[in-house]
Amino acid sequence: MIKKFLDKLMGKSTPGTSGGKPHFGKREEVPASVHGINPELVDRRAAEVVATLKQAGFEAYIVGGAVRDLLLGLRPKDFDVATNATPEQVKGLFRRAFIIGKRFRIVHVVHGRGREHEVIEVSTFRAYLDNAAAGQVAGNEKTSKQQLSGMQHAVDASGRVLRDNVWGPQDEDATRRDFTVNAMYYDPVSQIVVDYHKGLQDAKKKTLRMIGDPATRYREDPVRIIRAVRFAAKLSGLGFSIEAKTAAPLVQSQLLLAEVPQSRMFDEMLKLLQTGHAIATIEQLRKLGMAKGIYPLLDVAVERADTPFVKAALVDTDRRVNEGKPVAPSFLLACVLWEDVRNGWQERLNQRHHPLPALQEAIDEVFDKRIGDVSGRGKLAADMREIWVMQPRFEKRVGSTPFGMVMQPRFRAGFDFMRLRADVGEVGEALAEWWQDFQTADDERREDLMDQAREEQKVRQKAQPVVKRVPRAAPAADPRALPRAEGAEGDANANDGDAEFPSDGGAPKKRRRRRRKPGGAGGGEGAAPAAAGD
C-alpha cells in the first residue's frame, strides 16, 4: 500500500493504466552461469538471424515463449526475434523476407523451401503508449479499416488495441508484453538473458503473472484471456499456475471476447485444442470457471470431452502433436460434432429415409446449427463432410468400392476417424483391421481380402432368419354354393361360376360374360346361343 501511494505521489503508474509515467522495470542482464540455457537447444537459423542483425549494427534477441522454454530446458517449436531495426531495415538484410500484417507489422524471414522451410518472425521493439492518448475509433479490426488508415496507434471505445506500429526502446517493448515469463530476451551470441519484470524469478516459482493491471491488459487485447488459459495448460505439467491477481478478472473479462472477430476466435480455439495440450486445456477451463462462453464450438468440445469418442480424439490429437505429426482442424471438429450427425442421421433412417440423402441432410443441419459462418470456410467444411460421408462406405467391402476408397485424398482421415470409432466400440474391430490391411496390401493380397469379405457376407446372410411367405387362407365356402346332395351335379354346376357370394353372405355378384371372338369355335356371326331352344 505504501509503495503504491509513493508511486502515485511521484507520478508513477502501473503499466496499462493512465495517469503518470509508467514504470518500465529495471534492466537485469543474467549470465549463462545463472540462467543455465543450453545453447544446443537454440535453433541455428534463429541464431543466424540475430547474428546478421547485430553485424549490421542493430540490437537483436530471441524473445518471448522461446526464451521461457529454453529456461525450462525445453526445445521450443517456434523462435521469434525482436530488434530495434524497422521492418524495412530488416527486410533489406535478408534475401527471402516479407513484411506482413497491418495491425502489427512484422517481418517473416524464410529459410529453406517446400515443407522443410522455417519462418523466423522478426518484430521491431514497440513503444509503450497510454491508451488514453491513442486514436479512438469505433468497431473492430474487421469494420474499422478505413478509420485506421494512416494511424500508428489506435484503440476502440473499450480500450482494445486495434493498431500498434509505434517503435520504441526495449524496456517499453518488454512492458507491452503480456506475462513476465514471456517478456525476456536472449542473445545467443553473448548468451545473456535480459529481464525487466522479474520473469526469471517467476519462471523459477512456476508462476504466470501478468505485467501491469490484469483487467486493463485483458481489455487492451481480450485474446490474452485465451492465451492465459493456453499457457496455463501447456505449463501445468511442469507445475505452473496462474497468479491469483492475474486469474481473478478472467471470468468477468470473458464478455470482451464477443467483440473479437470470429475468424480470430476460431484460430485461437484451434490453438487451445491443437497445440498438444487439449486435455490439459479442458481441465484448466473447468478449473477457472470458463467451461462455457469463450466460443460455441469450444463449448461443445468441453461439454463432450468426457465422452469416449471425443476424449479418444483429444488424446490422439495430443499424441500426434507431441510426436511431431501433422493434425487437421477438420478431423478434430468432425469428431466433436459426430454425435450430432449420427443422431440426426438415425432419426431420418427411423423415418424410412434413404441412407445417403439422410446423412447429407443430417450434415447440413449440423453445419447450420453448430458451425454457422465457419461452414463457408471452404476446405474445412468440405473435409469434414467427406470424413462423415465416408463412414457408411467402409461397410461395403465388395466390388469396386474398396479400390475407389483408398484412392480418395481424404481416405486416411476417414479411416483414422473410423479407427477411433472402432476403439470405442462403435464399429467392429475386425472392420478396422480389414481396412488397415487393405490399404497397405499388394494386388494379390487385396484379392484375398475381398474373398474374405465375400465369405463373411455369405455367412451373415445365412445367419439371418429366413422369412417364409405364408399362403393366404382360402375364404370359407358359403353353404348355398355347395352341392346339396351327391349326384345333384346340375344344381351345383348351375351355381358354379355363375354367381360369387361374398363372405358376408350378401347379394351375389353377377358374373361378367366374356365376349366371343368372331369366327372362333363355338359360333360365328349369326350363330345361335348354345342354350337356344332349351
Side-chain angles (χ1 to χ4, degrees):
M1 292 294 294
I2 297 175
K3 184 179 183 301
K4 289 182 179 180
F5 174 76
L6 291 175
D7 287 345
K8 187 175 181 181
L9 190 65
M10 297 173 64
K12 293 183 179 181
S13 68
T14 303
T17 61
S18 58
K21 182 180 178 181
H23 178 61
F24 297 120
K26 181 181 178 181
R27 180 185 175 98
E28 294 184 21
E29 294 187 356
V30 184
S33 59
V34 176
H35 61 65
I37 288 178
N38 181 1
E40 294 182 0
L41 296 177
V42 179
D43 184 90
R44 172 183 56 81
R45 286 158 288 200
E48 288 176 357
V49 170
V50 171
T52 300
L53 287 164
K54 294 190 72 172
Q55 288 171 7
F58 299 107
E59 296 179 60
Y61 302 85
I62 292 172
V63 69
V67 181
R68 177 200 66 221
D69 290 349
L70 289 169
L71 286 170
L72 297 174
L74 306 175
R75 185 181 295 277
K77 294 182 179 179
D78 300 303
F79 283 84
D80 297 336
V81 171
T83 178
N84 62 346
T86 66
E88 290 76 14
Q89 290 170 330
V90 173
K91 187 177 185 301
L93 292 175
F94 299 93
R95 185 171 61 85
R96 298 180 64 204
F98 308 92
I99 299 176
I100 66 167
K102 292 183 178 179
R103 186 168 179 255
F104 299 104
R105 294 178 68 222
I106 57 178
V107 180
H108 278 181
V109 178
V110 182
H111 293 267
R113 294 186 180 276
R115 292 186 177 181
E116 301 302 321
H117 82 284
E118 181 180 359
V119 174
I120 305 298
E121 191 172 281
V122 182
S123 61
T124 304
F125 294 152
R126 283 176 170 80
Y128 177 84
L129 295 176
D130 194 324
N131 291 335
Q136 295 280 334
V137 297
N140 55 38
E141 297 104 303
K142 187 175 181 181
T143 60
S144 58
K145 289 181 180 178
Q146 292 182 350
Q147 297 182 59
L148 287 171
S149 61
M151 302 180 73
Q152 295 293 345
H153 185 65
V155 298
D156 66 8
S158 67
R160 182 162 56 99
V161 178
L162 300 181
R163 181 160 292 185
D164 189 2
N165 290 309
V166 181
W167 320 132
Q170 186 183 33
D171 60 344
E172 294 188 22
D173 184 77
T175 303
R176 283 186 60 264
R177 298 182 180 272
D178 45 21
F179 299 97
T180 58
V181 293
N182 292 340
M184 291 177 283
Y185 303 79
Y186 174 65
D187 181 354
V189 178
S190 65
Q191 297 187 24
I192 294 293
V193 169
V194 179
D195 185 8
Y196 288 92
H197 297 283
K198 308 296 182 183
L200 189 59
Q201 292 182 19
D202 286 341
K204 291 180 179 179
K205 291 189 296 184
K206 300 182 178 181
T207 299
L208 281 172
R209 178 169 59 89
M210 181 69 71
I211 298 172
D213 175 57
T216 303
R217 304 307 305 279
Y218 295 143
R219 191 161 54 249
E220 288 174 355
D221 185 1
V223 170
R224 285 178 177 145
I225 299 166
I226 302 176
R227 285 167 60 84
V229 176
R230 180 154 56 90
F231 291 142
K234 178 179 180 179
L235 300 173
S236 61
L238 299 174
F240 274 73
S241 61
I242 303 178
E243 180 209 28
K245 291 181 180 179
T246 300
L250 280 173
V251 175
Q252 185 178 358
S253 300
Q254 236 179 283
L255 298 173
L256 299 169
L257 293 170
E259 297 299 319
V260 179
Q262 289 297 296
S263 59
R264 191 178 180 203
M265 287 297 300
F266 182 79
D267 292 339
E268 291 296 330
M269 176 200 70
L270 293 181
K271 288 179 183 178
L272 286 176
L273 299 177
Q274 292 195 288
T275 52
H277 310 282
I279 296 296
T281 294
I282 302 296
E283 294 176 358
Q284 283 295 324
L285 288 169
R286 291 171 174 170
K287 179 181 177 181
L288 296 169
M290 302 170 68
K292 286 187 177 181
I294 290 182
Y295 191 73
L297 274 176
L298 183 61
D299 292 350
V300 178
V302 175
E303 179 184 342
R304 297 177 179 174
D306 294 329
T307 62
F309 186 61
V310 175
K311 185 173 183 178
L314 294 171
V315 170
D316 187 64
T317 299
D318 285 351
R319 177 188 62 80
R320 289 183 64 87
V321 172
N322 293 322
E323 291 177 357
K325 296 179 180 179
V327 292
S330 56
F331 183 87
L332 183 57
L333 293 181
C335 292
V336 170
L337 297 177
W338 172 240
E339 180 180 326
D340 294 335
V341 173
R342 187 187 59 211
N343 292 343
W345 185 25
Q346 188 60 53
E347 287 176 8
R348 288 166 173 80
L349 292 178
N350 293 341
Q351 297 169 7
R352 306 284 184 160
H353 289 199
H354 192 276
L356 184 57
L359 179 57
Q360 294 283 11
E361 290 175 10
I363 292 172
D364 291 339
E365 184 178 57
V366 170
F367 277 141
D368 293 340
K369 180 181 177 181
R370 295 292 195 187
I371 300 182
D373 63 348
V374 178
S375 63
R377 286 177 166 260
K379 190 176 186 305
L380 174 75
D383 289 350
M384 292 173 65
R385 183 183 294 272
E386 194 168 353
I387 289 171
W388 288 330
V389 171
M390 211 178 289
Q391 298 312 300
R393 298 188 65 193
F394 281 113
E395 302 289 345
K396 299 179 181 179
R397 294 178 289 162
V398 295
S400 61
T401 298
F403 296 96
M405 286 276 284
V406 295
M407 296 299 292
Q408 293 189 20
R410 298 294 298 163
F411 168 78
R412 187 67 202 186
F415 169 76
D416 289 343
F417 191 93
M418 188 266 291
R419 172 78 261 181
L420 283 180
R421 293 175 63 208
D423 290 343
V424 299
E426 191 175 312
V427 296
E429 180 69 24
L431 182 66
E433 291 178 355
W434 189 94
W435 280 100
Q436 179 67 53
D437 291 343
F438 187 86
Q439 63 184 298
T440 58
D442 56 22
D443 291 342
E444 184 177 353
R445 173 59 179 158
R446 285 184 175 183
E447 289 298 333
D448 292 341
L449 289 168
M450 296 280 285
D451 291 340
Q452 173 192 331
R454 292 189 193 98
E455 291 300 320
E456 290 177 1
Q457 187 177 34
K458 289 179 182 179
V459 171
R460 286 195 301 269
Q461 289 174 346
K462 289 181 180 179
Q464 292 177 352
V466 179
V467 180
K468 296 183 178 180
R469 284 180 173 271
V470 179
R472 214 167 29 174
D478 192 288
R480 291 171 292 178
L482 296 175
R484 287 186 295 273
E486 188 178 351
E489 295 178 9
D491 291 338
N493 290 336
N495 285 334
D496 187 17
D498 286 345
E500 295 178 358
F501 294 90
S503 59
D504 58 1
K509 295 180 180 178
K510 292 184 179 180
R511 183 179 178 185
R512 195 170 182 179
R513 196 179 187 95
R514 177 178 293 178
R515 175 179 286 180
R516 293 177 180 175
K517 296 181 180 179
E525 187 177 351
D534 284 354

